[in-house]
Amino acid sequence: MKELLCKYAAYNVWANHKVLYQILQMDEQCWYRQTPSSFDSLYKTILHMWDAESGWWQRMRLHETIVVPSANFDPSLKDACNGLLHQNMEWEPFINHSLDEAAIQSQLAYKNSKGDTFQQPVSDVLLHVFNHSTYHRGQLITMMRNLGETVIPQTDLIAFSRISIS
């Protein structure tokens, strides 16, 4: 399981980097333009991804109080992209060096953003973190297309697997 989680962590960095890089090449006005989705702009979607992943990181590190990045300052899109990518890059070393198989299967007790208490295996939480990014990357791609972007990066896991075994 540890090897699989490390692969997903590395894939998450690779795929987010590709999408965020392409978004940063777009006209700056597009970053904030309203586009129907869960969050109504590229900027708000990226900010949500960073906030959510940071929250899970803090829960995994057993922080009692979760600090949401966007609640503390109003980052530019570039700052939000950098913050998200920095957070993405924390997972693989954490899994590799801080978690053994027993820890990966252990239960993580946490509170969600509404204050409800849950307990789930660390492996499920980690898979959720990476799947959450995949879900929102799909939304970002759709939003990019709706904003007229024609250069859409390939971010399928199989494409990552092809380059990681080369």
Side-chain angles (χ1 to χ4, degrees), residues 93-149:
F94 173 72
I95 295 165
N96 219 8
H97 302 298
S98 300
L99 300 178
D100 59 17
E101 289 297 333
I104 289 169
Q105 297 308 320
S106 70
Q107 297 288 309
L108 176 68
Y110 65 91
K111 290 183 180 181
N112 68 7
S113 58
K114 296 176 185 172
D116 299 327
T117 302
F118 296 92
Q119 187 169 315
Q120 292 177 268
V122 167
S123 59
D124 286 1
V125 171
L126 291 169
L127 288 171
H128 166 72
V129 167
F130 306 135
N131 190 59
H132 183 261
S133 269
T134 299
Y135 175 80
H136 286 296
R137 271 194 309 274
Q139 291 181 326
L140 289 170
I141 295 295
T142 300
M143 295 167 82
M144 290 166 68
R145 289 182 199 275
N146 289 340
L147 290 166
E149 181 60 40

Side-chain angles (χ1 to χ4, degrees), residues 64-77:
E64 289 188 29
T65 303
I66 303 302
V67 178
V68 179
S70 68
N72 296 313
F73 74 109
D74 188 22
S76 68
L77 180 77

Side-chain angles (χ1 to χ4, degrees), residues 16-118:
N16 279 347
H17 181 266
K18 289 179 71 97
V19 171
L20 297 177
Y21 175 82
Q22 196 56 45
I23 288 171
L24 289 169
Q25 306 312 304
M26 295 172 64
D27 184 312
E28 193 171 329
Q29 292 178 354
C30 290
W31 301 345
Y32 306 99
R33 190 170 296 145
Q34 272 199 314
T35 310
S37 196
S38 295
F39 300 90
D40 68 0
S41 70
L42 294 168
Y43 173 75
K44 287 179 183 177
T45 303
I46 293 165
L47 205 56
H48 166 73
M49 292 169 72
W50 182 25
D51 285 346
E53 196 162 317
S54 176
W56 283 113
W57 174 257
Q58 292 171 67
R59 287 181 193 105
M60 192 69 68
R61 303 299 295 214
L62 306 177
H63 293 198
E64 289 188 29
T65 303
I66 303 302
V67 178
V68 179
S70 68
N72 296 313
F73 74 109
D74 188 22
S76 68
L77 180 77
K78 290 177 185 177
D79 289 336
C81 289
N82 286 334
L84 176 57
L85 287 172
H86 176 76
Q87 182 61 66
N88 292 163
M89 290 186 288
E90 297 285 342
W91 291 108
E92 187 177 10
F94 173 72
I95 295 165
N96 219 8
H97 302 298
S98 300
L99 300 178
D100 59 17
E101 289 297 333
I104 289 169
Q105 297 308 320
S106 70
Q107 297 288 309
L108 176 68
Y110 65 91
K111 290 183 180 181
N112 68 7
S113 58
K114 296 176 185 172
D116 299 327
T117 302
F118 296 92

